[in-house]
Amino acid sequence: MFTAAQVVRRAQLYVPGSSMRFLEKSRSLPSIDSIAYDLEDSVTPSKKPEGRSNILSILNRDRVPGIREQAVRINSVGSGFALDDLTEVLKGKHLDCLVVPKVDSASDLHFVTDVLRQKLPERHAANSKNPVKIVALVESARSVMNLHEICAASPYLSGLTFAAEDFALDLSITRTPDLHEFMYARSAIVTAARAFNIPSALDLVSTTFRGEEGKQFLQKESENGKRFGFNGKQCIHPDQVEIVQNVYSPSEQEVEWAVRVVLCDQKADAQGRGAWTLDGKMIDVPVVGKAKAIVARAEVCGIDVKGLQEKHKDEEPQ
């Protein structure tokens, strides 16, 4: 499995593979963790061959500095299109990740894993440091019930994503702004991701984002997801990316607190102290673990951790 320090997907933006204009435009984004070039919902069956060709062209170009990860959302294994998708896009020089929709059971990921090993054996050898990673979309009641086997299905699995609209359709429920109807599924996904050390847990798409009111809604929905345990969110428009990535980045206050905890814990450990206080609050092993995770995420997000470490180097545990 991959560690959180190796991959961060605060935002994953879907871009239709059938539109060369949108694909070109996506390469000009100033900064985004992950772009998923889409061959599934946004591409009609008659346009799938064109979409594959377009995406392969993009993947074979030189990387641009603003995009951390280039992913492709293939069609579901049961659709009849998945093997053709994989055969084409796995020729891409700069493919980092596959987004696999409608993963209902382990067999879906077994299929993708087998194709990866057959088509790109050098990237998927036992000691490979750069395999094509997999993000699985959880879209149905069956998928939620099978999360244990799905999470254990492939060594390349590095993300779980909640597809709310398809899940709502499967259960015949209506999405509401407070998202209470999705509480069980969302909790199950973030819990499974943590239990199996899967770095990314991506929350549902926000369909409201235009105008000031839409931006505020997106901000609140993203904050809701972060409180729930998600560490990233799907996006369907470039205008969503900045807000989402800001929310899912550690805040200044969080990082400063975490740096202080980690520095003081090193000193407390040298003194043989298992528990100590900071700002009048007890600090013990679980709190230190949380602080270390925040520091690691902050480093990957480009936050000046070293500057904060220098600022607080003389602080002592209380």
Side-chain angles (χ1 to χ4, degrees):
M1 291 293 179
F2 301 89
T3 65
Q6 292 173 300
V7 56
V8 168
R9 300 184 185 94
R10 293 166 294 177
Q12 186 169 69
L13 173 68
Y14 295 115
V15 180
S18 56
S19 172
M20 204 64 195
R21 181 170 69 88
F22 288 155
L23 291 170
E24 294 277 11
K25 186 177 179 181
S26 72
R27 286 171 58 84
S28 66
L29 287 171
S31 177
I32 183 169
D33 289 342
S34 181
I35 288 183
Y37 305 121
D38 188 29
L39 284 169
E40 196 211 11
D41 287 347
S42 67
V43 182
T44 61
S46 64
K47 290 285 187 180
K48 305 250 186 231
E50 181 182 343
R52 295 181 193 118
S53 177
N54 291 345
I55 291 172
L56 182 59
S57 169
I58 292 292
L59 292 174
N60 281 331
R61 296 188 194 179
D62 291 342
R63 289 183 179 272
V64 293
I67 302 172
R68 189 189 298 268
E69 176 183 76
Q70 294 189 127
V72 175
R73 179 165 71 169
I74 62 172
N75 288 277
S76 66
V77 172
S79 69
F81 297 113
L83 184 57
D84 287 341
D85 292 345
L86 290 167
T87 299
E88 194 71 6
V89 303
L90 291 180
K91 298 173 186 175
K93 287 191 298 184
H94 302 300
L95 174 68
D96 302 310
C97 178
L98 292 170
V99 179
V100 184
K102 298 178 174 61
V103 176
D104 285 338
S105 68
S107 62
D108 295 309
L109 296 189
H110 291 162
F111 173 83
V112 175
T113 299
D114 288 345
V115 175
L116 285 173
R117 287 172 170 163
Q118 181 184 36
K119 299 288 186 183
L120 297 174
E122 70 287 351
R123 286 187 67 179
H124 299 89
N127 61 347
S128 173
K129 302 295 185 184
N130 185 35
V132 175
K133 298 178 283 293
I134 296 173
V135 171
L137 267 71
V138 177
E139 307 193 33
S140 67
R142 185 180 171 206
S143 183
V144 172
M145 291 294 98
N146 288 337
L147 276 170
H148 185 280
E149 69 171 63
I150 289 168
C151 289
S154 174
Y156 314 125
L157 183 64
S158 78
L160 296 176
T161 299
F162 180 45
E165 303 306 324
D166 285 274
F167 184 81
L169 177 64
D170 188 41
L171 271 68
S172 298
I173 56 180
T174 301
R175 176 173 175 166
T176 59
D178 60 21
L179 306 177
H180 282 174
E181 61 279 353
F182 297 133
M183 184 176 294
Y184 176 78
R186 292 170 83 211
S187 181
I189 289 167
V190 296
T191 302
R194 175 55 56 207
F196 285 85
N197 196 30
I198 296 171
S200 292
L202 303 178
D203 202 8
L204 41 70
V205 165
S206 179
T207 55
T208 304
F209 62 92
R210 296 190 186 278
E212 194 56 38
E213 185 177 346
K215 289 178 180 178
Q216 290 176 8
F217 184 89
L218 175 61
Q219 175 88 16
K220 289 179 180 178
E221 190 174 276
S222 300
E223 290 170 350
N224 172 280
K226 185 176 182 179
R227 288 193 301 271
F228 221 85
F230 289 95
N231 54 23
K233 188 173 180 66
Q234 303 164 88
C235 297
I236 54 172
H237 193 281
D239 288 350
Q240 295 180 315
V241 171
E242 183 177 4
I243 292 172
V244 169
Q245 290 197 162
N246 284 341
V247 170
Y248 282 101
S249 297
S251 69
E252 264 184 56
Q253 294 83 0
E254 283 180 304
V255 179
E256 188 152 13
W257 169 84
V259 166
R260 292 171 65 210
V261 169
V262 172
L263 287 174
C264 289
D265 183 65
Q266 292 169 352
K267 295 175 182 179
D269 186 60
Q271 298 165 9
R273 297 168 60 186
W276 43 279
T277 61
L278 182 71
D279 300 333
K281 296 180 180 178
M282 189 184 79
I283 307 295
D284 56 7
V285 173
V287 177
V288 173
K290 177 182 178 180
K292 288 180 177 177
I294 291 172
V295 170
R297 188 169 179 83
E299 288 174 333
V300 178
C301 292
I303 296 170
D304 183 16
V305 171
K306 288 185 178 179
L308 290 170
Q309 289 171 335
E310 180 64 25
K311 176 181 176 182
H312 295 285
K313 65 181 180 180
D314 296 326
E315 186 154 13
E316 294 287 336
Q318 299 159 10

